[in-house]
Amino acid sequence: MKRHNWGLYAAMVCGYLLLYLPILSMIVYSFSGSRLATVWGGFSTRWYVQLFANEQLISALGRSLTIAATSATVAVCLGTASGLALSRFGRIPGRGLLSLMNSSPMVMPDVMLGLSSLLLFVALQQMLGWPERGMSTIMLAHITLTTCYVTVIARSRMAALDDSLEEAAMDLGARPWRVFFLITLPLIAPALLAGWLLAFTLSLDDLVIASFTSGPGASTLPMVIYSKVKLGVTPEINALATLIVTTVGIGVVIAGTVLHRREARIGSTD
Amino acid sequence: MSPRNDPRSEGFWSFWDEVVRNLFGWFRAVGREFRTRRGRFLVTTLPMLWLLLFFAVPFLIVLKISFAQAVFGQSPPYTALLQTTPNGGTSLHLNTQAYALLLSDPLYIGAYLKSLAFASVSTLFCLLLGYPIAYGIARAKPIWRLGLLILVILPFWTSSLLRTYAMIGILKANGLLSQALAAIGLMEPGSAILHTDLAVYIGIVYNYLPFMILPLTATLMRTDFTLLEAAADLGAKPAQSFLHITLPLSMPGIIAGSLLVFIPAIGEFVVPDILGGPDALTIGRVLWTEFFTNRDWPVAAAVAVSMLLLIVIPTLAFEYYENRRTDQDAGP
């Protein structure tokens, strides 16, 4: 670009400011010693100390991480299966239905998904006495939601993949399972890792679906944060949010650079 | 092929040898075929069954309950649709009370309109704010492009609840934005943006901006910008070439981005609940209140069904547009 377009730059700065100003101000105030979040009370780490002493928040964090890791793992398995079915099996019976059911939960508002999942669990419990509402029902609902995102990622990666390698392996007599595990899986592994991370964060973030499907004593971290926020701003949440945002930020940047390097390496060896 | 017609076949044993070999070969082929099919069957059926059970069936249950009548103090708190009559038969009780309530009570119609207003105005502002960013990323040097894109994606990976919470600090009285607006005289000093409709608009735009920028950037990166130079050489002003070249070419991105913002914003619960005042009643909030506070499951289910209508219409419109576009692309 030869000509500098200052109007464009100004608009971009405004947009990025909107994206980052709230988070930055939250991080700054998490180190403020004052209880009033608008007054700077000098540098202090007391909210971090209080945060780690808060049993309720820490146990909710553990619960949320368990739910997120479990549902992301199951979602990657299911999502890879339906991605494979949609991109490799041609016109199998039920393809349209599978594709529709895989794209619908993404456009569905979470209140809708939460309500419908809960009503299913209530009906199942009435008929079969299972499942007990709690962490397991949150996991089931989260798997359903996140599978769709993994499917989209796996499917588009497989569609972009040249299937001549797979065909060559088939021609040489490899069975489909072998072809999948020796050729397709290593090639789509970065996409599946991205899918796992996306599923993990989606599950970790979710407030609404968890609130509907949770049972007594199974409050996730977002549920605890929500109830605290409804009562008023608490500086501990600033500290917690700062920790989460920086962890996720660093994780995403590392994963991004690793994947980018890998892709560049694969590209250069071609 | 048949070993009996083979002139080389010499005698009884070689014939049977051939038969046994062929049989084994056939069995192996069938076995392989079965294993392949079984593999395919398993791979397709597993996610299919999961989604049928945990996504499709729940919808039918919501639909069913929306036609029931609320009964308080029992579990589950609604009437059965199929009831046994005293003389042993079953009768179907379809109750449209919940829907009648939705249509008659101004609370629900107001919530509908409010949700539509929040979603559409926020989508427009996301577009106005997101377009320059997407355009800037698409035209930036490749070294800058990755960094700028990561900066857009990064907030998307952090919790929307926490980001909405962070917004409170900016919007409340004496918060950063409230102070800034007071300084230019747009607002009375000391008053808050928090708990107004404006706060909800800002919150939704803030939360969904990446959803607008990403598809826009993808389309704009595919655009051939030499067309702009050609237009400039032919004497077009920048505004003209933008209106006649860039904008039409980026239309698919605009539509995809708008839907990605509009559809989830319709059912949004967290932003209006945390940033909005008590009158910022959206469908999402109404559903939540009906279910958790009023414990009226049939009305909550009916609200969910009617919310679906608001989502299905733009999705169908998008499908129609996409089909027409691909038809046009395929045509001459």
Side-chain angles (χ1 to χ4, degrees), chain A residues 16 20 107 112 118 226 238, chain B residues 59 148 151 165 263 273 291:
Chain A
Y16 280 108
Y20 283 95
V107 296
M112 177 87 207
L118 172 70
Y226 175 72
N238 279 338
Chain B
F59 264 125
L148 288 171
L151 279 178
Y165 164 77
I263 291 176
D273 192 63
F291 189 82

Side-chain angles (χ1 to χ4, degrees), chain B residues 208-236:
Chain B
Y208 290 108
L209 193 57
F211 291 94
M212 179 64 90
I213 295 177
L214 292 178
L216 269 179
T217 313
T219 353
L220 282 170
M221 289 217 287
R222 284 198 302 266
T223 307
D224 183 6
F225 285 111
T226 50
L227 285 175
L228 292 184
E229 284 165 29
D233 288 346
L234 294 173

Side-chain angles (χ1 to χ4, degrees), chain A residues 9-227:
Chain A
Y9 291 164
M12 283 179 80
V13 168
C14 273
Y16 280 108
L17 268 184
L18 174 70
L19 283 179
Y20 283 95
L21 210 58
I23 298 178
L24 288 180
S25 84
M26 182 177 72
I27 292 176
V28 168
Y29 276 107
S30 78
F31 290 106
S32 160
S34 159
R35 175 158 275 283
L36 294 166
T38 46
V39 184
W40 180 251
F43 182 83
S44 142
T45 51
R46 63 187 267 217
W47 306 121
Y48 289 88
V49 176
Q50 273 196 20
L51 171 70
F52 286 110
N54 191 326
E55 284 288 320
Q56 190 198 10
L57 276 175
I58 298 299
S59 67
L61 175 67
R63 219 173 278 132
S64 276
L65 289 175
T66 316
I67 293 173
T70 316
S71 26
T73 309
V74 180
V76 164
C77 298
L78 282 173
T80 312
S82 52
L84 195 66
L86 289 172
S87 66
R88 284 287 186 269
F89 292 176
R91 301 214 155 269
I92 43 165
R95 186 178 191 279
L97 181 67
L98 186 64
S99 174
L100 179 75
M101 284 196 301
N102 260 310
S103 50
S104 308
M106 288 195 287
V107 296
M108 227 31 94
D110 39 10
V111 272
M112 177 87 207
L113 281 177
L115 177 73
S116 62
S117 310
L118 172 70
L119 294 180
L120 172 80
F121 295 142
V122 169
L124 278 181
Q125 206 172 14
Q126 257 184 303
M127 284 189 285
L128 312 169
W130 177 90
E132 199 67 38
R133 268 158 67 190
M135 272 170 76
S136 57
T137 44
I138 302 179
M139 280 181 206
L140 289 175
H142 280 180
I143 291 167
T144 312
L145 171 75
T146 53
T147 295
C148 308
Y149 288 86
V150 179
T151 304
V152 169
I153 294 175
R155 181 186 180 177
S156 62
R157 184 77 190 110
M158 278 189 250
L161 215 67
D162 185 7
D163 56 3
S164 58
L165 272 179
E166 292 164 35
E167 273 171 18
M170 295 266 218
D171 288 346
L172 292 174
R175 296 210 181 109
W177 286 114
R178 260 179 94 79
V179 174
F180 176 74
F181 281 108
L182 287 181
I183 296 179
T184 319
L185 193 61
L187 283 173
I188 61 169
L192 292 188
L193 176 68
W196 192 91
L197 281 174
L198 182 61
F200 184 83
T201 39
L202 279 172
S203 166
L204 200 62
D205 287 355
D206 169 67
L207 162 73
V208 174
I209 297 175
S211 302
F212 272 100
T213 51
S214 172
S219 296
T220 61
L221 187 66
M223 290 164 71
V224 175
I225 293 177
Y226 175 72
S227 62

Side-chain angles (χ1 to χ4, degrees), chain A residues 48 51-52 238-248:
Chain A
Y48 289 88
L51 171 70
F52 286 110
N238 279 338
L240 178 69
T242 303
L243 287 180
I244 292 179
V245 166
T246 43
T247 314
V248 170

Side-chain angles (χ1 to χ4, degrees), chain B residues 131 240-254 321:
Chain B
Y131 203 100
Q240 271 180 321
S241 48
F242 175 77
L243 270 182
H244 293 289
I245 298 172
T246 317
L247 199 61
L249 282 178
S250 58
M251 215 48 183
I254 293 179
Y321 170 83

